[in-house]
Amino acid sequence: MTNVDPRYLSFSQAQGYESLPHLLQLEEISEQARVALWNVLYEEAQVERTLNRTGGFVRSYTMNPILRSIYSEFLMQPLDEWRSGYNTMISILRPFIMSQPFNRVFDLLTFIMRHPQTPRSLVGLMAAAFREHQLAYRVDTTPPPTIYPISTPEEGEAVATALDQIRQAGHGAAGEHLRKAVDCINGQDWPGAVRESIHAVESVARQIAPEAKTLGDALQALKKKGLLKHPALHQALSSLYGYTSDEQGIRHALLDRSTADVGQDEALFMFGACASFASYLSRKQIAISE
């Protein structure tokens, strides 16, 4: 990988004495990344000392409410066996993060980041750790925080920018479809990911052209409104829509197959392409209305 953020390079890497870090593969977490993710949690679990009514100090831990939820709701353990404090955190979270498969680690991190008492600082530090250690995933920090896959750092930045643009334009439904697409990808529901991705484009297009009943109708309306002036661009969007309509098991029922002929590559491509197209339409709408 040639495009590496210089902020995350050591002196030896920057000067060519050591090889540059490479983007990890999907479904992969390096040992160094696991340690970094654990360290974020450990550092955020600060000890607080407060005065009680008798003038003595009471020690508490900022992660205690979150840990209690993890113990009872995520790990489904009986609360009568719960014990608060640093020792509990170390005994539960550290071995989980260091040894569990990538998807279970991401399940745990998502649960923590979405907990109502999790500080925003923790989410930001977690997102930075994902970038710094070249995981093939990024953290969308906008509530509710979501972990989504990428194939290159550039794609990660492009998707993050697209998600921000979609939200800023007031297309919250499209953002929710993309979030569901991520959930489908993380759950290896490839047809579901493709379906939710194209729904995001349809949501933006039909908000701009509310008279349309389908994405195909909306694209024609957008073309008339001047948002899709180039025929090739209109054809590209129409082709994506046609693919999701024609392929069995995505938008329509399976007929002569037991499963949809859709895999991880198609799901990741559609997620990135649809996020970019939805963002493009949002920008064009803003530009025309100004």
Side-chain angles (χ1 to χ4, degrees):
M1 186 181 71
T2 56
N3 297 324
V4 181
D5 192 328
R7 294 174 298 172
Y8 301 136
L9 295 180
S10 66
F11 172 83
S12 296
Q13 290 169 334
Q15 300 302 317
Y17 296 107
E18 293 181 359
S19 60
L20 293 176
H22 68 281
L23 185 71
L24 296 175
Q25 298 298 310
L26 291 169
E27 305 182 4
E28 179 182 2
I29 310 178
S30 66
E31 182 177 352
Q32 293 85 351
R34 289 178 184 268
V35 171
L37 296 174
W38 158 248
N39 286 344
V40 168
L41 296 177
Y42 187 82
E43 286 293 329
E44 284 295 296
Q46 300 297 324
V47 179
E48 294 181 345
R49 291 165 58 86
T50 56
L51 286 172
N52 60 22
R53 293 180 179 179
T54 61
F57 282 104
V58 177
R59 292 164 58 88
S60 61
Y61 304 89
T62 56
M63 285 282 287
N64 262 346
I66 305 170
L67 285 171
R68 192 174 188 272
S69 296
I70 293 171
Y71 192 80
S72 62
E73 300 169 31
F74 183 81
L75 298 176
M76 302 301 292
Q77 296 299 310
L79 277 175
D80 59 294
E81 298 178 2
W82 161 251
R83 299 293 181 272
S84 64
Y86 262 133
N87 291 337
T88 301
M89 178 175 173
I90 293 172
S91 66
I92 293 176
L93 297 189
R94 181 174 177 177
F96 193 100
I97 290 174
M98 299 304 295
S99 64
Q100 287 291 312
F102 89 100
N103 59 302
R104 290 297 290 156
V105 173
F106 287 174
D107 285 343
L108 173 63
L109 297 181
T110 300
F111 183 91
I112 293 172
M113 290 190 292
R114 291 181 176 179
H115 193 279
Q117 293 186 258
T118 294
R120 294 288 297 165
S121 59
L122 187 150
V123 179
L125 289 172
M126 197 66 69
F130 271 67
R131 292 193 302 270
E132 180 177 355
H133 291 275
Q134 298 298 313
L135 290 170
Y137 300 85
R138 289 292 182 269
V139 176
D140 178 13
T141 58
T142 303
T146 301
I147 299 172
Y148 64 89
I150 63 169
S151 57
T152 65
E154 293 77 15
E155 181 188 15
E157 293 302 318
V159 171
T161 301
L163 291 172
D164 286 340
Q165 174 62 46
I166 290 167
R167 294 190 188 100
Q168 290 174 12
H171 297 296
E176 184 60 27
H177 280 302
L178 290 172
R179 193 180 303 282
K180 289 180 179 178
V182 170
D183 291 339
C184 289
I185 290 173
N186 292 337
Q188 299 187 356
D189 176 8
W190 314 127
V194 172
R195 181 172 56 254
E196 291 296 338
S197 296
I198 199 66
H199 281 344
V201 178
E202 182 174 3
S203 176
V204 174
R206 291 182 62 187
Q207 277 188 271
I208 300 173
E211 70 279 7
K213 301 300 182 183
T214 67
L215 177 55
D217 294 338
L219 294 179
Q220 289 294 338
L222 296 181
K223 186 177 180 180
K224 293 179 180 178
K225 290 175 182 285
L227 272 71
L228 296 174
K229 295 181 179 180
H230 199 288
L233 184 58
H234 179 268
Q235 182 59 42
L237 276 167
S238 297
S239 297
L240 284 180
Y241 179 58
Y243 163 68
T244 62
S245 297
D246 295 340
E247 181 59 42
Q248 297 179 28
I250 297 180
R251 296 184 66 248
H252 301 295
L254 291 165
L255 298 177
D256 56 355
R257 305 175 191 166
S258 58
T259 58
D261 188 19
V262 178
Q264 182 183 72
D265 292 339
E266 290 80 10
L268 291 176
F269 168 76
M270 286 295 292
F271 172 69
C274 289
S276 297
F277 271 129
S279 174
Y280 167 79
L281 294 177
S282 298
R283 292 196 303 273
K284 294 294 287 184
Q285 178 193 23
I286 294 173
I288 288 179
S289 62
E290 290 178 345

